[in-house]
Amino acid sequence: MEIICLHCKKEIQPDQHRYFSRQAGMRGYYHWTCFIEACHKVNSIGAEKIAPILEEQSPNAYEVFHPADLPTTVLDE
């Protein structure tokens, strides 16, 4: 049975490491290296789409807070 990689569209040989993805939108067989490459591509595209939305909703979403900068409240014992 011929198994075709969804990323590169080439046949996966029996001696090659293959991976079956169950991820939504990526379900199918891949060469292992093709799967890694496809994940990087999908994640970078997703990040590019999400970043402007987050920035619009919360302009300070990427600020880094340090514990010393946070206000403290002393609780009564």
Side-chain angles (χ1 to χ4, degrees):
M1 181 174 116
E2 187 177 281
I3 298 174
I4 304 296
C5 174
L6 288 178
H7 185 68
C8 71
K9 309 296 187 216
K10 295 179 184 171
E11 182 179 1
I12 302 172
Q13 300 298 321
D15 63 333
Q16 293 178 311
H17 185 187
R18 69 177 186 241
Y19 180 76
F20 182 78
S21 173
R22 290 178 172 80
Q23 288 181 244
M26 293 183 67
R27 187 176 178 88
Y29 282 101
Y30 294 84
H31 292 103
W32 177 247
T33 54
C34 287
F35 178 70
I36 299 298
E37 188 176 309
C39 285
H40 284 284
K41 183 177 180 179
V42 168
N43 288 336
S44 66
I45 291 169
E48 288 173 9
K49 290 180 179 180
I50 291 171
I53 295 167
L54 288 176
E55 186 63 31
E56 183 180 298
Q57 291 179 355
S58 178
N60 300 324
Y62 297 110
E63 281 189 29
V64 176
F65 292 99
H66 299 283
D69 297 337
L70 298 174
T72 57
T73 304
V74 177
L75 300 175
D76 293 335
E77 292 182 24

